[in-house]
Amino acid sequence: MALIKELKSTYGVSPSYHRVTSVSLNALEKEAIVCVGSYLSKEAREKGCDPIDAIDILVPKEDYPRFLEGNAFSAAYRWLRENVVGLEDAKDD
């Protein structure tokens, strides 16, 4: 799964394919960290290219329980759509 939406980057290019590469859950601290890798395009990802950018997003503690129900990756995509400006209308892939 991935989110398709052209976003601006600090590198002067606009990646359009954003994929959750990891979800880390810390039960003791009640924290979730979502790592998102951004690729120039879906085609670049399919060719095996590395992401042009990757960012770790610390999820607020009050949202931690959302990651405990079902699949943590699915929860991450839902959370990104609802909380990251610009991804609310991204297409699913």
Side-chain angles (χ1 to χ4, degrees):
M1 181 173 199
L3 298 174
I4 300 174
K5 173 78 185 269
E6 189 170 303
L7 298 175
K8 302 226 184 277
S9 77
T10 59
Y11 298 107
V13 294
S14 299
S16 63
Y17 195 78
H18 313 280
R19 181 175 161 247
V20 173
T21 58
S22 69
V23 177
S24 299
L25 301 176
N26 181 330
L28 295 176
E29 298 295 324
K30 306 290 190 250
E31 288 182 345
I33 298 173
V34 176
C35 182
V36 178
S38 295
Y39 300 80
L40 192 56
S41 65
K42 179 179 180 177
E43 293 76 24
R45 165 67 179 109
E46 289 174 343
K47 287 180 183 177
C49 296
D50 290 331
I52 59 172
D53 200 5
I55 185 170
D56 288 331
I57 302 170
L58 178 61
V59 174
K61 288 183 186 273
E62 60 267 14
D63 289 342
Y64 174 78
R66 296 177 61 181
F67 290 80
L68 303 179
E69 299 172 12
N71 183 305
F73 279 83
S74 295
Y77 282 107
R78 280 192 305 274
W79 186 88
L80 288 168
R81 242 185 224 292
E82 295 170 6
N83 294 280
V84 176
V85 174
L87 291 180
E88 61 276 350
D89 60 347
K91 293 182 184 178
D92 289 328
D93 182 46

